[in-house]
Amino acid sequence: MLFYSIGSAIGAIASTAVYDSAGWNGVCILGTAISIVTVIFWAATAHIGRAQLQATLRQAN
């Protein structure tokens, strides 16, 4: 919950600053950019979780 609250605060500050300078189009672009970055991060790190799961399953057998 701590990171959720920190993320919400950072998002509120960032979207307010972007809205002030670029309006709703800027806020939409910011949201899209953040979504793209998170999907790239997920795709880049997803194999780590799978590898750990497979190693755990091998040890259990």
Side-chain angles (χ1 to χ4, degrees), residues 21-36:
S21 62
W24 279 115
N25 288 335
V27 173
C28 292
I29 291 169
L30 175 65
T32 301
I34 291 171
S35 297
I36 289 170

Side-chain angles (χ1 to χ4, degrees), residues 23-54:
W24 279 115
N25 288 335
V27 173
C28 292
I29 291 169
L30 175 65
T32 301
I34 291 171
S35 297
I36 289 170
V37 168
T38 57
V39 168
I40 291 170
F41 179 79
W42 169 79
T45 60
H47 69 282
I48 294 170
R50 274 186 297 232
Q52 289 175 344
L53 177 62
Q54 289 172 350

Side-chain angles (χ1 to χ4, degrees), residues 13-24:
I13 292 167
S15 62
T16 301
V18 170
Y19 180 76
D20 186 44
S21 62
W24 279 115

